[in-house]
Amino acid sequence: MGLISEVLLLPLAPVRGSIWAMQKVLEEAERQYYDPSAVRAELARLEEQLTSGEIDQQTFDRIEDQLLDRLEGK
């Protein structure tokens, strides 16, 4: 049965490979997105933008909350 199912499912091999690749890309993207050092670096850049006047306090607070949620892994 194993050989027969492999032969019958052979046309789906590219699809299975594509799904596997997409899953790996998604896993890496999530790892980078929630990486504490990356979030801390973004928080530092955000602080610089506030002190230089590029953004206002309301924008800072909103983005800071989003970054802190990422840091907590939400």
Side-chain angles (χ1 to χ4, degrees):
M1 181 73 177
L3 181 60
I4 294 173
S5 63
E6 285 296 318
V7 170
L8 292 175
L9 294 176
L10 190 58
L12 297 177
V15 173
R16 289 187 301 195
S18 297
I19 291 171
W20 177 85
M22 287 187 291
Q23 287 173 337
K24 293 300 175 187
V25 168
L26 179 61
E27 289 171 7
E28 180 62 19
E30 286 179 344
R31 187 192 66 74
Q32 290 179 12
Y33 183 76
Y34 291 109
D35 179 32
S37 62
V39 175
R40 287 188 191 101
E42 287 187 51
L43 282 168
R45 281 192 297 275
L46 186 64
E47 181 77 29
E48 290 174 6
Q49 289 176 331
L50 178 65
T51 57
S52 69
E54 294 178 45
I55 60 172
D56 61 5
Q57 185 66 45
Q58 184 179 9
T59 303
F60 173 84
D61 291 339
R62 181 179 46 82
I63 297 172
E64 181 187 40
D65 287 343
Q66 293 170 353
L67 290 170
L68 292 175
D69 286 346
R70 278 176 48 193
L71 197 57
E72 293 174 1
K74 291 183 179 177

